[in-house]
């Protein structure tokens, strides 16, 4: 399905080349340009409706369009064992009708308005969106409110859509060795955290999932106090608020279930996973448990999370960064490709991952040693001020440029709400990133990359099954 990131893009864009001075100048100008002459018209505002639903509105009058999103703070992490995948299946079922809107009619009506729409499920949240001419906002708000409150479908419709989701799993996970490895790594790295389960669900769980399971999940979590409406575009705040009061505020309030913490226990030793799958090349992934950015009081934890994000960018944030330069180039190269990524934030625990595809003639052990050696080098020697300036500047530039998109503005606000963050979390993020020092990057490189919090996953290539026929695209899938 279409996936939009559960958190801010923590991999710094690779495209930004050139001198540090030029990029710094450009970024400074971009940050100034982020605030338009009429600052009040672009400031996001947040309200709480009488039934507990949140409304967030961000005017942007550069084009006569608007993005309307409904966010529900529920994802795969809120499932229980034996029913994995139900959040994603329910997302599909939300397009299957209400008492007044037949299955498929929602999408036809949005298209008739000149809009486009879709939905996405993550570990932390589920989202539904429409991008439409600004003058048609009332129609999509009425449609979405009806769907949120009155979703219904026959068991036969559920059974058909469940087959679509199963095929989606086959195509996107079971036929993809890297996706299979990532799934197995999460299941190994996490013990108590629900992040150990895949968003699409285990196939055995999908096989036994019922329409009653999906309806119960819907009744449990799709309540106004667990949802937010986000509108960005050529709109007036007062008018949007009036529309929200008309279409959303009257939806019946219900109690939000208590969430159990399900805290991940401290890992006390290295974990290793050898995973066999049909593939041409091996893959090695190292996953270290690291702190999560919260922006809610723990300044030391937040500083470490941001410093780890800068570290990931120094290692793999641009063409010719440290991992690429040392492991894939020159006579001592050991890998065909490399990567580094820091999870940064989410409702559950996060991982810092290092990965590489060994080149022909090199072993997984050599690649693992090479990846860890680069982090150890930074722990000993630190990073240069030029590296630090470069990746910070690229971050700021990417954050500013992405807000040229109305969709990204709405997505950012919704993601922040789902994480329990303030409206100005994006501004806080940039400000705190600017404050990260080279010494902090050196410290986190020394602190978080030992064996005790490490899970190593190795893909062992197997010959393809020649008797297996290629699968056609999943018919009827929305995503």
């Amino acid at each position: 399905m279409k996936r939009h990131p559960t958190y801010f893009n923590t991999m710094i864009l690779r495209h930004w080349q050139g001198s540090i001075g030029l990029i710094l100048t450009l970024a400074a100008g971009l940050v100034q340009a982020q605030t338009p002459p009429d600052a009040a018209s672009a400031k996001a505002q947040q309200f709480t409706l009488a039934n507990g639903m949140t409304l967030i509105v961000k005017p942007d009058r550069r084009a006569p369009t608007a993005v309307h999103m409904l966010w529900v703070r529920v994802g795969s992490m809120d499932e229980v064992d034996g029913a994995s995948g139900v959040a994603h299946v329910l997302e599909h079922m939300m397009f299957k009708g209400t008492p007044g809107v037949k299955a498929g009619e929602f999408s036809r009506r949005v298209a008739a308005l000149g809009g486009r729409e879709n939905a996405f499920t993550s570990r932390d949240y589920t989202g539904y969106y429409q991008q439409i001419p600004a003058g048609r906002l009332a129609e999509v708000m009425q449609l979405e409110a009806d769907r949120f409150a009155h979703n219904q479908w026959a068991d036969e419709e559920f059974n058909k859509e469940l087959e679509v989701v199963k095929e989606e799993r086959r195509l996107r996970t079971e036929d993809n060795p890297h996706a299979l490895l990532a799934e197995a790594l999460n299941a190994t790295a996490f013990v108590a955290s629900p992040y150990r389960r895949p968003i699409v669900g285990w196939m055995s769980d999908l096989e036994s999932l019922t329409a009653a399971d999906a309806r119960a999940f819907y009744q449990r979590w799709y309540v106004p106090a667990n949802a937010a409406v986000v509108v960005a575009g050529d709109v007036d705040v007062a008018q949007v608020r009036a529309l929200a009061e008309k279409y959303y505020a009257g939806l019946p309030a219900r109690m939000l279930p208590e969430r159990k913490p399900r805290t991940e226990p401290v890992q006390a030793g290295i974990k290793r996973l050898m995973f066999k799958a049909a593939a041409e090349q091996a893959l090695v992934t190292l996953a270290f448990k690291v702190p999560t950015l919260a922006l809610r009081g723990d300044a030391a934890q937040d500083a470490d999370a941001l410093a780890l994000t800068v570290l990931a960018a120094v290692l793999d944030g641009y063409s010719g960064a440290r991992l690429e330069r040392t492991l894939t180039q020159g006579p001592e190269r050991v890998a065909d490709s490399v990567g580094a990524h820091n999870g940064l934030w989410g409702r559950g625990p996060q991982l810092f991952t290092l990965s590489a595809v060994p080149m022909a003639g090199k072993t997984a052990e050599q690649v693992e040693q090479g990846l860890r050696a680069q982090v150890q080098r930074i722990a000993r020697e630190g990073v240069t001020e030029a590296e630090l300036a470069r990746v910070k500047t690229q971050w700021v530039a990417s954050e500013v440029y992405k807000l040229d998109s109305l969709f990204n503005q709405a997505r950012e606000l919704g993601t922040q709400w789902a994480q329990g963050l303030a409206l100005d979390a994006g501004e806080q993020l940039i400000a705190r990133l600017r404050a990260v020092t080279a010494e902090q990057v050196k410290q986190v490189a020394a602190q978080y990359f030992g064996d005790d919090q490490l899970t190593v996953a190795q893909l062992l290539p197997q010959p393809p099954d020649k008797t297996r026929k290629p699968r056609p695209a999943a018919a009827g899938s929305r995503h």
Side-chain angles (χ1 to χ4, degrees):
M1 77 179 176
K2 285 187 182 176
R3 288 270 163 76
H4 305 293
T6 2
Y7 6 80
F8 284 142
N9 178 13
T10 58
M11 294 294 288
I12 307 301
L13 294 181
R14 289 176 170 271
H15 327 315
W16 297 83
Q17 305 291 327
S19 71
I20 294 299
L22 177 60
I23 300 177
L24 282 170
T25 301
L26 173 62
L30 285 170
V31 173
Q32 292 175 357
Q34 190 177 13
T35 304
D38 182 8
S41 68
K43 184 176 178 61
Q45 297 184 50
Q46 181 168 320
F47 310 93
T48 302
L49 304 182
N51 56 8
M53 183 175 280
T54 298
L55 171 67
I56 302 172
V57 188
K58 186 169 190 305
D60 186 324
R61 303 187 182 281
R62 288 176 293 178
T65 61
V67 173
H68 172 267
M69 284 185 161
L70 176 72
W71 293 75
V72 188
R73 191 181 281 128
V74 67
S76 64
M77 75 172 297
D78 300 290
E79 299 163 349
V80 298
D81 288 339
S84 66
V86 67
H88 173 227
V89 173
L90 177 58
E91 175 221 309
H92 280 242
M93 299 312 300
M94 291 293 287
F95 291 87
K96 299 304 178 181
T98 70
V101 179
K102 295 180 180 180
E105 185 65 23
F106 187 104
S107 299
R108 287 191 288 272
R109 291 191 188 183
V110 174
L113 296 174
R116 64 184 184 91
E117 47 77 53
N118 212 316
F120 47 89
T121 304
S122 79
R123 289 166 161 178
D124 300 331
Y125 50 74
T126 307
Y128 304 86
Y129 70 86
Q130 302 86 39
Q131 189 156 6
I132 35 84
R136 313 314 295 264
L137 181 61
E139 288 97 323
V140 296
M141 292 181 80
Q142 183 176 15
L143 280 170
E144 193 66 87
D146 177 51
R147 173 166 70 173
F148 177 81
H150 306 119
N151 180 234
Q152 69 174 35
W153 24 264
D155 288 3
E156 295 77 15
E157 194 71 34
F158 175 85
N159 293 334
K160 288 192 297 184
E161 196 65 23
L162 185 60
E163 293 305 312
V164 172
V165 174
K166 290 183 199 175
E167 191 63 11
E168 182 179 329
R169 177 182 166 83
R170 294 185 189 103
L171 286 167
R172 300 189 179 187
T173 301
E174 296 180 359
D175 288 351
N176 183 334
H178 288 192
L180 283 171
L181 184 71
E183 184 177 82
L185 186 154
N186 285 330
T188 303
F190 297 121
V191 176
S193 171
Y195 276 13
R196 69 184 186 276
R197 294 189 296 262
I199 295 168
V200 73
W202 300 114
M203 184 60 85
S204 59
D205 287 352
L206 295 177
E207 294 285 359
S208 63
L209 204 64
T210 68
D213 293 328
R215 292 191 185 105
F217 196 82
Y218 169 70
Q219 288 295 324
R220 181 177 178 83
W221 295 111
Y222 279 58
V223 302
N226 199 40
V229 174
V230 180
V231 177
D234 187 13
V235 297
D236 176 80
V237 173
Q239 291 177 353
V240 174
R241 188 174 183 183
L243 290 172
E245 292 285 350
K246 179 178 181 180
Y247 294 116
Y248 286 107
L251 302 182
R254 288 187 282 119
M255 289 292 294
L256 181 63
E258 179 186 1
R259 284 186 165 99
K260 301 297 184 181
R262 295 181 287 185
T263 304
E264 181 69 14
V266 175
Q267 188 174 326
I270 191 170
K271 299 179 182 180
R272 289 191 177 273
L273 167 69
M274 302 297 184
F275 189 86
K276 294 181 179 180
E280 295 182 358
Q281 288 182 289
L283 174 66
V284 178
T285 300
L286 285 65
F288 300 85
K289 289 176 180 170
V290 292
T292 302
L293 183 70
L295 297 179
R296 288 192 294 271
D298 193 336
Q301 177 178 312
D302 287 349
D304 283 358
L306 285 168
L308 285 160
T309 299
V310 173
L311 173 62
V314 169
L315 291 169
D316 183 46
Y318 53 91
S319 180
R322 288 196 179 206
L323 291 184
E324 181 180 326
R325 190 171 65 249
T326 58
L327 301 185
T328 71
Q329 299 173 3
E332 302 300 319
R333 73 187 189 97
V334 296
D336 286 337
S337 62
V338 291
H341 175 74
N342 183 47
L344 189 58
W345 60 16
R347 287 171 54 205
Q350 298 302 309
L351 298 173
F352 187 110
T353 58
L354 300 168
S355 61
V357 173
M359 64 176 288
K362 300 298 181 181
T363 67
E365 290 71 23
Q366 288 173 301
V367 167
E368 179 182 336
Q369 291 170 7
L371 290 168
R372 299 191 73 174
Q374 291 308 307
V375 178
Q376 291 163 0
R377 180 182 174 188
I378 292 176
R380 292 191 311 269
E381 304 172 6
V383 298
T384 67
E385 289 299 329
E387 285 177 306
L388 192 64
R390 180 173 191 166
V391 298
K392 284 185 181 182
T393 301
Q394 290 177 176
W395 176 293
V396 173
S398 67
E399 288 297 302
V400 173
Y401 266 119
K402 79 179 183 183
L403 296 181
D404 280 343
S405 161
L406 282 181
F407 182 88
N408 284 339
Q409 291 182 50
R411 185 194 70 191
E412 182 171 286
L413 290 166
T415 302
Q416 291 166 185
W417 170 83
Q419 308 296 344
L421 303 177
L423 282 179
D424 66 346
E427 297 171 17
Q428 289 187 52
L429 181 63
I430 290 178
R432 295 193 185 196
L433 178 83
R434 289 182 181 278
V436 173
T437 66
E439 182 59 29
Q440 287 176 307
V441 177
K442 181 180 178 181
Q443 288 175 355
V444 295
Q447 182 175 353
Y448 292 104
F449 294 88
D451 286 353
D452 282 353
Q453 295 293 296
L454 170 61
T455 300
V456 179
Q458 181 181 341
L459 176 64
L460 305 177
Q462 305 296 303
D465 182 357
K466 295 183 179 180
T467 65
R468 190 176 184 183
K469 296 180 180 180
R471 291 192 178 93
S477 175
R478 293 192 43 77
H479 308 290

